[in-house]
Amino acid sequence: MTDLMEYEAEQVATANASGKKPIVFVHGLWLLPSSWDRWAEYFQSVGYSTVTAGWPDDPNAVDEANRHPEVFAKKSVQQVADHVEGLIRELKQRPAVIGHSFGGLLTEILAGRGCSDVSVAISPAPHRGVLPLPISALRSSSPVLRNPRNHGRAVPLTYEQFRYAFANAVSEEEAHELYNTFAVPAAGLPLFQAASANLNPWTEVKVKTKNPDRGPLLIVSGAEDHTVPWAICNSSFKRERRNKDSVTEIVKLKDRGHALTIDHGWKKVADTSLKFIQRFVKP
């Protein structure tokens, strides 16, 4: 069996035993698999089985993650993509995959590997060939990229940095709640990999957009997202729609920032994702 974490192995076993179509959720930087808990419960309620995939060595809880930030360090994009692919290969049915931020990028990578029946990439981090670099995206990643030593470190966000990068479209009160509930340190390496992807022909941050086995793909953009603004999402969409064998769509949700999967409006994003998935795979 693939080297899964205990909670992943349990979820995979439950999904396989259920016989229901699985949905695999992939988180991004500064979050944990538990950030998908409400989504998983919701998708289960309409008949799917669910697996909240971790990155290698992810702790189970936010307080544990904040006590041991070193576990996040030096996790590369390919390492995480290979880990999630290994999890998917343990499922008896090919899943739908939903990912956010760097999890959205991983979702695109996995779709390009032919790992999913249908995919939803929410505010996906850019891959090689995605050229726009809006100022807000540079500012959001600056807590990591401004120090080259962060390449091999785990980097936490201060509340002010989280407020700008994730929680700019919610109230101050909710921003504090989201920060205290969800925010954990994150590996610096993936951000350096993404930042250099267009300069490195051998980068791990690339997507096989034309794979005929990619399956349908929806890209979801938050109109107020500082970290992955519309320009980045739309550039990703334009590259993905070169796939002539599969449906490729994009939607922009107004008044939504980068925290759109965890803030008070998460259910609307979940419904948008669910409706797309239901067009192609049933529970």
Side-chain angles (χ1 to χ4, degrees):
M1 181 182 236
T2 300
D3 188 18
L4 301 182
M5 290 171 282
E6 183 177 354
Y7 68 87
E8 291 177 317
E10 290 175 355
Q11 291 182 33
V12 167
T14 299
N16 286 338
S18 74
K20 299 175 180 178
K21 191 70 175 180
I23 311 289
V24 173
F25 297 96
V26 189
H27 72 83
L29 297 176
W30 293 294
L31 297 175
L32 289 177
S34 56
S35 64
W36 291 113
D37 283 354
R38 291 177 295 182
W39 285 65
E41 183 178 353
Y42 179 51
F43 275 74
Q44 289 167 19
S45 74
V46 296
Y48 294 94
S49 61
T50 61
V51 179
T52 54
W55 293 29
D57 303 315
D58 268 354
N60 288 324
V62 169
D63 57 351
E64 181 185 354
N66 286 317
R67 287 196 305 270
H68 300 286
E70 67 278 0
V71 301
F72 297 104
K74 300 180 181 180
K75 299 298 188 296
S76 71
V77 170
Q78 183 168 325
Q79 182 182 0
V80 182
D82 290 348
H83 175 81
V84 181
E85 180 177 0
L87 180 155
I88 288 172
R89 300 303 181 194
E90 297 293 337
L91 292 166
K92 292 181 179 179
Q93 299 183 60
R94 194 164 66 167
V97 178
I98 301 174
H100 169 246
S101 195
F102 261 87
L105 167 63
L106 291 164
T107 297
E108 290 187 79
I109 291 172
L110 292 165
R113 293 181 180 184
C115 293
S116 52
D117 276 351
V118 56
S119 305
V120 180
I122 303 167
S123 302
H127 52 83
R128 181 173 173 82
V130 175
L131 300 178
L133 281 173
I135 292 174
S136 69
L138 294 172
R139 179 176 169 184
S140 295
S141 60
S142 66
V144 173
L145 297 180
R146 67 189 175 195
N147 185 348
R149 293 182 179 180
N150 288 335
H151 186 277
R153 294 173 174 171
V155 183
L157 295 178
T158 66
Y159 167 73
E160 290 73 19
Q161 291 165 343
F162 180 86
R163 173 74 161 145
Y164 182 83
F166 276 79
N168 61 297
V170 300
S171 69
E172 190 80 27
E173 180 181 3
E174 183 175 3
H176 277 288
E177 181 182 355
L178 294 175
Y179 182 71
N180 293 329
T181 302
F182 294 107
V184 297
L189 178 54
L191 277 167
F192 283 94
Q193 290 181 294
S196 63
N198 287 317
L199 304 175
N200 178 11
W202 302 279
T203 183
E204 298 176 1
V205 187
K206 55 189 175 184
V207 175
K208 297 177 182 177
T209 57
K210 295 182 180 180
N211 182 355
D213 198 31
R214 188 205 69 186
L217 171 69
L218 173 66
I219 294 176
V220 179
S221 174
E224 304 303 321
D225 194 324
H226 283 165
T227 300
V228 186
W230 168 257
I232 292 177
C233 289
N234 195 42
S235 180
S236 295
F237 165 70
K238 288 177 180 179
R239 293 192 66 81
E240 289 282 10
R241 72 178 178 183
R242 298 183 305 172
N243 189 313
K244 303 304 182 184
D245 298 286
S246 301
V247 172
T248 308
E249 297 179 6
I250 188 169
V251 62
K252 181 193 286 189
L253 301 180
K254 67 178 184 177
D255 303 323
R256 307 310 304 280
H258 200 61
L260 73 173
T261 58
I262 57 173
D263 67 21
H264 67 278
W266 71 270
K267 182 89 163 18
K268 181 175 180 180
V269 190
D271 281 333
T272 299
S273 305
L274 176 61
K275 288 176 183 176
F276 184 78
I277 288 172
Q278 287 178 323
R279 287 165 51 191
F280 304 100
V281 296
K282 301 301 180 185

